[in-house]
Amino acid sequence: MSLRYALLALLTAQPMTGYDISKGFSGSVAHVWHAPDSQIYPELNRMERDGLLTSEQVPWGKRSTKKEYHVTEAGLTAFRAWMDEPLDIRRQRDPAYLKAAYLDWAQPEAAREQLRKQREYWRDHLALLEGTRAMLLDRSHPTLVARLSHLPEEQGELAARYRIHAYNGLIAHAKTELAWIDDGLALVDELDGQ
Ligand code: VNL
């Protein structure tokens, strides 16, 4: 259900075609709410059916047209109402932590391999998050630029400050994961053979 709010969040920046949404989503909102295209496209259809979005055909190339989605008043109202609702808190549910708690059941070499994979993922992801935050800090991120073009200056500033706040949390989390993975690798080495 949160996917529709993630999509509403993105579409408050500007009207977009399905393709723009897919591309824009992966460079911005996906860092806080990941979803594959296979969920995004059907959700856009449902949101249009539910009156949260409308679409119009816009020219595409010389002969063709594409559907461009706009948030409706009802969409904005639904997004604001959701933002003001109490947060439903999710408890821990991450296989990396489930496995970490039971590494005594794994082959040490398999454990090392998994930890190295996790480390690779978090290193890449940290770089991506830091790169995205840099584009928010210098106000060059394309989604933010689109938003700033139609917001009064103070509101644009608010938007930038809150997006950066989210990335500060994501980056701190990625660094904690990396330090913890290194601890895990050191622990497997220490305990291997005992
Ligand atoms: C926005 C721009 C959001 C850049 C982002 O991630 C981002 C936005 C949540 O203005 O909606 O990286």
Side-chain angles (χ1 to χ4, degrees), residues 3 7 18 21-22 25-26 35-45:
L3 177 57
L7 290 166
I21 291 171
S22 155
F25 193 86
S26 64
D37 281 350
S38 61
Q39 285 174 17
I40 290 176
Y41 289 109
E43 186 60 26
L44 291 171
N45 282 328

Side-chain angles (χ1 to χ4, degrees), residues 104-122:
D104 46 325
W105 287 78
Q107 298 292 329
E109 204 33 57
R112 284 189 193 95
E113 191 47 36
Q114 293 178 34
L115 286 163
R116 286 190 211 108
K117 278 256 164 61
Q118 285 178 55
R119 186 168 59 184
E120 203 178 297
Y121 165 78
W122 280 108

